[in-house]
Amino acid sequence: WARAVRGLLLDVSGVLYDSGGDGGVPIAGSVEAVRRIKASGLKLRFCTNETQATREKFVKKLQGMGFDISVAEVTAPAPAACRILKERSLRPHLLVHNDLVPEFAEVDKTNPNCVVIGDAAENFTYANLNEAFRVLIGMEKPVLISLGRGRYYKETDGLKLDVGAYMKALEYACDVQAEVVGKPAKMFFESALAEMGVPPQQAIMIGDDIVNDVGGAQRCGIRALQVRTGKYRPCDENHPHVKPDAYVNNLAEAVDIILQQL
Amino acid sequence: WARAVRGLLLDVSGVLYDSGGDGGVPIAGSVEAVRRIKASGLKLRFCTNETQATREKFVKKLQGMGFDISVAEVTAPAPAACRILKERSLRPHLLVHNDLVPEFAEVDKTNPNCVVIGDAAENFTYANLNEAFRVLIGMEKPVLISLGRGRYYKETDGLKLDVGAYMKALEYACDVQAEVVGKPAKMFFESALAEMGVPPQQAIMIGDDIVNDVGGAQRCGIRALQVRTGKYRPCDENHPHVKPDAYVNNLAEAVDIILQQL
């Protein structure tokens, strides 16, 4: 599975670091692994569904942990959503984390004709959910754009419901289907490939999420590895629909194998 | 549709009164309609998915509006849930309205092995949802019991997401299917019929909710009318799956027609 590779797509949380209320901790070997990828001449994109912060803030956090990463190397849902909003003249009501709001600075938000939902965390209040619901149910044809469909994630203080759960609540209440712009959406992986200038059959996705990372990438014809770090659970290996091209213990091991084949 | 009737099942909110933050307002003619049903000798059950208060408090509110109603005449989800918990030795973690908690006074809640979700309203906080989620995801086979599957309801200060939306969020996050004990569950209507001692073909359900009231009753072989009050919307008349046996403008009109046929 490691042959003929020209570009790597790396999930971030659970592959580079373990997140937590206090920022997070790098996963052993990952800082060095990113450095080795860059030294090898392979193309590289960081593919995150992170929607709790602007890319600027997100990248700064990773740099603080020692990672060689820049904003221009990150593929994330919020900029993808902004492109869609612009193309379709949509004015969003935002149900997102406060720290993500600056990503939508250039977008007209007056008199909303759609709802954009991200991982709003503490902003997922009863009042805010009712408000987003009222905007949607007031439209003739509700438009709900979701910056991901994750079920839950782990922070140092425990598991948290992710954006997908709240997306489902609004979908059910309004009888609509959300348009998902983060992983595992096809468009998300296609953007990342285009940004690298690498065709799917020459790319490998490395992630900890069997559905959003592995399943999403494979549906685009990209090989995908699951790391046994982050949210990986042994039962993932019996997933009824998705089978990774390979398992690796962590990013460092994946990079070892891939670089040996170059 | 009004022939050979021996018992009536009445939905409450949207049929007897319009609810609101300040208590609610009787729908014109409904107080008198309940009085006429009782005078006629027809059997009667009040069938509510109300889970924001104990039956005692709920009945007191309705009596305050002038309705002739007693606790013994009310079929509600919480007592049904308590029966199930007892039968299956389940110890619930409760995500319900504070005012509903006394209905579960007799139930062992230590070391929970299931989650019971109701319309928790202001208790639907980010922290409480995460906590219920963690209880569920920590079980080998998560058991989620929901006191209804309503999408939303109207209060005087606007539309609110109902328990069904939050149920869907937890279902998705944990990849489980909730067991619903309120309307439109078959068991709910069967309990109400048993309590009246009337077979389904001699009963009529009167409600404002095309799915939970009308669809649920019809699946049990009970005729069902939709009133054009409460949450009724004209587009309900084009519902793809459910067609009421008749429409009536309000409860008073339904009772007029039914009593004429006696």
Side-chain angles (χ1 to χ4, degrees):
Chain A
W1 54 264
R3 289 173 183 276
V5 179
R6 282 186 48 225
L8 296 183
L9 305 170
L10 301 191
D11 178 31
V12 179
S13 173
V15 173
L16 300 192
Y17 77 107
D18 278 319
S19 64
D22 51 350
V25 183
I27 290 171
S30 287
V31 168
E32 184 56 25
V34 170
R35 218 173 275 141
R36 293 172 67 205
I37 295 167
K38 292 201 165 177
S40 74
L42 285 173
K43 303 269 187 175
L44 178 60
R45 291 299 293 177
F46 298 97
C47 295
T48 180
N49 267 8
E50 169 69 42
T51 60
Q52 280 204 5
T54 57
R55 281 162 299 163
E56 281 71 16
K57 207 169 158 180
F58 177 68
V59 160
K60 217 162 243 163
K61 185 173 78 172
L62 287 159
Q63 289 169 341
M65 288 184 234
F67 288 101
D68 179 358
I69 180 174
S70 70
V71 171
E73 296 170 316
V74 176
T75 302
C82 287
R83 279 198 300 276
I84 289 173
L85 295 170
K86 212 172 162 184
E87 277 166 26
R88 289 162 53 187
S89 302
L90 291 169
R91 300 178 305 276
H93 170 90
L94 298 177
L95 179 53
V96 302
H97 198 283
N98 289 345
D99 291 345
L100 193 71
V101 173
E103 293 270 16
F104 296 87
E106 309 293 312
V107 176
D108 180 8
K109 292 178 281 289
T110 57
N111 189 19
N113 58 4
C114 76
V115 167
V116 171
I117 184 172
D119 176 18
E122 304 288 344
N123 275 350
F124 281 132
T125 63
Y126 181 60
N128 286 349
L129 283 161
N130 281 332
E131 201 187 340
F133 163 66
R134 281 179 212 137
V135 171
L136 282 173
I137 202 76
M139 296 175 206
E140 200 178 338
K141 204 177 166 315
V143 175
L144 174 60
I145 294 175
S146 184
L147 304 180
R149 56 182 304 124
R151 292 167 190 267
Y152 60 90
Y153 55 86
K154 192 178 173 178
E155 293 201 329
T156 43
D157 58 338
L159 296 173
K160 306 277 173 77
L161 288 169
D162 199 358
V163 57
Y166 294 95
M167 172 191 88
K168 284 290 172 186
L170 292 176
E171 281 189 343
Y172 176 73
C174 303
D175 199 15
V176 293
Q177 182 133 32
E179 304 172 39
V180 179
V181 298
K183 296 178 283 184
K186 236 176 159 172
M187 208 182 62
F188 186 90
F189 291 99
E190 287 167 354
S191 296
L193 290 172
E195 286 151 356
M196 290 200 300
V198 168
Q201 60 278 13
Q202 298 187 348
I204 293 182
M205 171 79 205
I206 303 174
D208 65 336
D209 188 315
I210 183 73
V211 171
N212 290 313
D213 295 327
V214 176
Q218 287 180 332
R219 276 196 301 130
C220 297
I222 302 168
R223 282 166 279 174
L225 312 183
Q226 190 177 14
V227 289
R228 292 197 180 97
T229 56
K231 74 166 69 164
Y232 163 85
R233 298 205 297 179
C235 66
D236 291 344
E237 306 205 9
N238 305 318
H239 194 280
H241 307 305
V242 184
K243 189 153 188 56
D245 291 86
Y247 296 97
V248 287
N249 286 320
N250 49 46
L251 176 63
E253 185 181 305
V255 171
D256 277 346
I257 300 171
I258 291 165
L259 296 189
Q260 277 167 22
Q261 297 279 335
L262 285 185
Chain B
W1 55 263
R3 289 173 183 275
V5 180
R6 283 186 47 225
L8 296 183
L9 304 170
L10 300 192
D11 178 32
V12 180
S13 173
V15 174
L16 300 191
Y17 77 107
D18 279 319
S19 64
D22 52 349
V25 182
I27 290 171
S30 287
V31 169
E32 184 56 25
V34 169
R35 217 172 277 140
R36 292 173 66 206
I37 295 167
K38 294 201 164 178
S40 75
L42 285 172
K43 303 269 185 175
L44 176 61
R45 290 298 294 178
F46 298 96
C47 295
T48 180
N49 267 7
E50 169 71 41
T51 60
Q52 281 204 3
T54 56
R55 282 162 299 164
E56 280 71 17
K57 208 170 158 178
F58 176 70
V59 160
K60 218 162 242 163
K61 184 173 78 173
L62 286 159
Q63 289 170 340
M65 289 185 233
F67 288 101
D68 179 358
I69 180 174
S70 69
V71 171
E73 296 169 316
V74 175
T75 302
C82 287
R83 279 198 300 275
I84 289 173
L85 294 170
K86 211 172 162 185
E87 278 167 27
R88 288 162 53 188
S89 302
L90 291 170
R91 300 178 305 276
H93 170 90
L94 298 177
L95 178 54
V96 302
H97 198 284
N98 289 344
D99 291 346
L100 192 70
V101 173
E103 293 270 17
F104 297 87
E106 308 294 312
V107 176
D108 179 8
K109 291 178 283 288
T110 57
N111 188 21
N113 58 4
C114 76
V115 167
V116 171
I117 184 173
D119 177 17
E122 304 287 344
N123 276 350
F124 281 133
T125 63
Y126 181 60
N128 286 349
L129 283 161
N130 282 332
E131 199 187 341
F133 162 67
R134 281 180 212 136
V135 171
L136 282 172
I137 203 76
M139 296 175 205
E140 200 178 338
K141 204 176 167 315
V143 175
L144 175 60
I145 294 176
S146 185
L147 304 180
R149 56 183 303 125
R151 294 166 188 269
Y152 59 90
Y153 54 87
K154 193 178 173 178
E155 293 202 329
T156 42
D157 58 339
L159 296 173
K160 306 277 173 77
L161 288 169
D162 199 358
V163 58
Y166 293 96
M167 172 192 89
K168 285 288 171 185
L170 292 176
E171 281 189 342
Y172 177 72
C174 304
D175 199 15
V176 293
Q177 183 134 31
E179 303 172 39
V180 179
V181 298
K183 295 178 284 185
K186 236 176 158 172
M187 209 181 63
F188 186 91
F189 291 99
E190 287 167 355
S191 296
L193 289 172
E195 286 151 357
M196 291 200 299
V198 168
Q201 59 277 12
Q202 297 186 349
I204 293 183
M205 170 79 206
I206 303 175
D208 65 336
D209 188 314
I210 183 73
V211 171
N212 290 314
D213 296 326
V214 177
Q218 287 180 333
R219 275 194 303 132
C220 296
I222 302 168
R223 282 165 280 175
L225 312 183
Q226 190 177 16
V227 289
R228 293 198 180 95
T229 55
K231 73 165 68 163
Y232 164 85
R233 297 204 299 178
C235 67
D236 291 345
E237 305 205 8
N238 305 316
H239 194 281
H241 308 304
V242 184
K243 190 153 189 54
D245 291 86
Y247 296 96
V248 287
N249 286 320
N250 48 47
L251 177 62
E253 185 182 306
V255 171
D256 277 348
I257 299 171
I258 291 165
L259 297 190
Q260 277 168 23
Q261 297 280 335
L262 285 184

